[in-house]
Amino acid sequence: QVQLVESGGGLVQPGGSLRLSCAASGNIFNIGVMGWYRQAPGKQRELVAGISRAGNTNYADSVKGRFTISRDNAKNTVYLQMNSLKPEDTAVYYCYVDREIRTWGQGTQVTVSS
């Protein structure tokens, strides 16, 4: 079983930056894709970004050019650097890890507001 611990959420003004981290522990042998989803109030959960073990990435169109996903395989940790944040980025951000099944983190709140 894989456990995920997220950190880095908070309140930031429009145009600001935040960095989310998600560390995996437990049965972490041969972890595959890691990434982030988000869910805003009243909306469905949507993919933000994902990264393979080899470093291949994919992004939602709405965050391309502003968000950067990265991972440290030695630390089993995935990061999401979020720049030029907008109010519409406000959501609970969930990290995930794909191994035999998908495991989700507990979620971290990101609020973009002046």
Side-chain angles (χ1 to χ4, degrees):
Q1 191 173 4
V2 178
Q3 293 83 42
L4 301 174
V5 177
E6 302 165 0
S7 60
L11 172 64
V12 64
Q13 292 187 340
S17 298
L18 282 175
R19 188 192 194 210
L20 305 183
S21 300
C22 176
S25 62
N27 192 359
I28 56 177
F29 175 74
N30 206 27
I31 283 177
V33 174
M34 304 179 77
W36 298 88
Y37 275 70
R38 68 186 180 186
Q39 188 166 20
K43 294 188 177 181
Q44 290 188 331
R45 191 175 293 192
E46 63 174 357
L47 176 68
V48 176
I51 183 167
S52 71
R53 192 170 187 85
N56 299 310
T57 60
N58 65 292
Y59 294 92
D61 288 343
S62 59
V63 307
K64 284 180 181 176
R66 300 188 298 122
F67 291 9
T68 302
I69 190 170
S70 61
R71 68 188 279 172
D72 184 332
N73 290 329
K75 296 181 179 180
N76 296 298
T77 299
V78 62
Y79 305 96
L80 186 68
Q81 178 65 43
M82 304 185 292
N83 299 329
S84 302
L85 283 161
K86 305 175 181 180
E88 51 263 43
D89 294 318
T90 296
V92 178
Y93 285 69
Y94 299 90
C95 74
Y96 72 91
V97 168
D98 286 339
R99 191 175 173 271
E100 295 175 340
I101 60 173
R102 176 162 289 183
T103 300
W104 294 95
Q106 79 281 6
T108 185
Q109 177 70 47
V110 172
T111 302
V112 184
S113 175
S114 55

